[in-house]
Amino acid sequence: MHIRVESLTHIYARGTPAERVALRGITLEIGPGKRVGISGPTGSGKSTLVQHIAGLLTPTSGQVLLDGVPAHARTPEARARRHQVGLAFQFPEAQMFELTVSREVAFGPRHLGLNADEIAGRVRWALEMVGLDPDSFAEREPFALSGGEMRRVALAGILALKPRVLILDEPTAGLDPRGRADILARLRAWQAETGATLILVSHHLDEMAGMVDRVVLLANGQVVADGPTRSVLGDGYRLRAAGLSPPPGVALLEALRAAGWPVRTDVLDIEDVVSEIARWFFNHKDTKTRSIINHSF
Ligand SMILES: Nc1ncnc2c1ncn2[C@@H]1O[C@H](COP(=O)(O)OP(=O)(O)O)[C@@H](O)[C@H]1O
Ligand SMILES: [Mg+2]
């Protein structure tokens, strides 16, 4: 599915004292099968933007086109496209209400009018995809699960819809680091298997780095950067200006640069950070460098 966001502006509670401009003329395009990150500080408009892409909000001005059709329109063509966009809200488990895990995951597919065998197959597949063994989880009560398990059930419910576009709004918020890494690896595998478009909203820049090829940075309802992951996340100065902390590796290399080590800073993977330091360390044997090294340890 081709996504085009055109001069999109969204104002909440327009004309009231609570009026809030959330998006100010956003334009961007996301081709089929792309993996794109959307980041920015709290309140920058990330959730509002992705709700527009899912066709859940009506623009104040501008529009979102899904394969050329306005996403929010009340037409059968628009509805068919919206059905192909799966949006996992922040804390999706807050919207669970079924009595068993399998019913919860089956909720969406049932509303697509699929037959019982197809639904059962999708439920098993989706639970396996998020790392929950269907045999031990299917009949359990969602509310008796741990926070991480509930999050997985909620994500399985969206994967079971087999969306062509999957939007994850802060999918790991509130989870421990190990659970976060595991869930992201599984979603990454799901994307590779299905070739769907993946839109990941997060302000954890280090975890975004391995997931997406492009990052769109929002600040105050506007796009302040849009480019390859490495160039957007490797620019600590711009990230700080937008109100975000750079990934730890970038921050470390920047600190070394500030101390006089001419290392590059657009390095995101921790092993590459180590190689960059090692490369510089062993290639520079002049006395000035030696003295910096001696003073650094
Ligand atoms: N339902 C709402 N009603 C009024 N204002 C809202 C609503 N949702 C979000 N906002 C405001 O819109 C702006 C953008 O919010 P949001 O899209 O949630 O940003 P983010 O997801 O980046 O934190 C913020 O100023 C927020 O307070
Ligand atoms: Mg948000």
Side-chain angles (χ1 to χ4, degrees):
M1 178 128 59
H2 193 94
I3 300 165
R4 188 170 159 71
V5 179
E6 284 181 352
S7 310
L8 179 66
T9 291
H10 189 93
I11 305 175
Y12 286 106
R14 198 175 192 189
T16 76
E19 179 170 300
R20 198 97 213 169
V21 184
L23 300 174
R24 303 164 195 269
I26 304 266
T27 293
L28 55 94
E29 215 154 327
I30 300 174
K34 300 288 189 198
R35 300 181 298 142
V36 181
I38 298 178
S39 197
T42 302
S44 58
K46 305 181 295 296
S47 294
T48 304
L49 174 59
V50 296
Q51 287 176 70
H52 274 285
I53 294 174
L56 300 176
L57 294 174
T58 301
T60 304
S61 65
Q63 61 180 352
V64 174
L65 298 174
L66 302 176
D67 278 343
V69 175
H72 65 282
R74 293 166 194 272
T75 61
E77 298 79 48
R79 197 168 309 121
R81 282 164 179 76
R82 282 198 294 272
H83 280 159
Q84 295 174 334
V85 179
L87 167 60
F89 287 93
Q90 249 166 299
F91 301 107
E93 58 272 26
Q95 285 152 358
M96 297 200 305
F97 48 85
E98 293 282 347
L99 288 176
T100 65
V101 164
S102 66
R103 285 189 62 83
E104 186 62 48
V105 178
F107 180 81
R110 263 203 315 274
H111 282 255
L112 293 179
L114 302 170
N115 70 44
D117 283 351
E118 171 72 19
I119 292 172
R122 284 193 183 198
V123 168
R124 285 193 75 84
W125 172 82
L127 285 172
E128 277 165 7
M129 215 71 219
V130 298
L132 297 177
D133 174 18
D135 293 326
S136 61
F137 279 91
E139 295 315 311
R140 287 169 66 177
E141 275 181 56
F143 300 101
L145 302 176
S146 73
E149 288 164 347
M150 274 197 239
R151 184 73 53 87
R152 287 169 199 261
V153 170
L155 291 171
I158 293 161
L159 297 187
L161 295 167
K162 304 224 168 185
R164 280 168 69 202
V165 177
L166 177 64
I167 306 174
L168 302 163
D169 192 351
E170 310 272 5
T172 61
L175 301 182
D176 60 83
R178 209 150 150 210
R180 273 163 44 184
D182 182 69
I183 285 185
L184 289 176
R186 290 175 181 284
L187 293 167
R188 180 81 183 73
W190 170 86
Q191 193 277 336
E193 184 180 312
T194 60
T197 306
L198 178 69
I199 300 177
L200 173 65
V201 175
S202 180
H203 56 255
H204 289 293
L205 299 182
D206 50 333
E207 68 182 33
M208 183 172 263
M211 293 287 289
V212 298
D213 306 306
R214 168 186 169 199
V215 174
V216 177
L217 201 58
L218 297 184
N220 196 21
Q222 288 177 305
V223 176
V224 293
D226 181 353
T229 302
R230 189 178 169 127
S231 66
V232 176
L233 300 190
D235 186 345
Y237 181 81
R238 187 159 58 182
L239 292 172
R240 285 195 195 88
L244 291 170
S245 309
V250 172
L252 170 64
L253 291 168
E254 280 185 341
L256 291 174
R257 248 188 111 84
W261 297 37
V263 287
R264 53 186 300 174
T265 61
D266 59 341
V267 180
L268 299 172
D269 195 283
I270 199 67
E271 283 166 21
D272 296 338
V273 171
V274 172
S275 323
E276 177 60 15
I277 294 171
R279 182 191 64 76
W280 185 82
F281 192 94
F282 292 113
N283 284 350
H284 294 73
K285 298 194 164 65
D286 58 287
T287 48
K288 179 170 175 284
T289 305
R290 280 280 161 229
S291 105
I292 293 171
I293 292 169
N294 288 335
H295 282 95
S296 303
F297 291 99

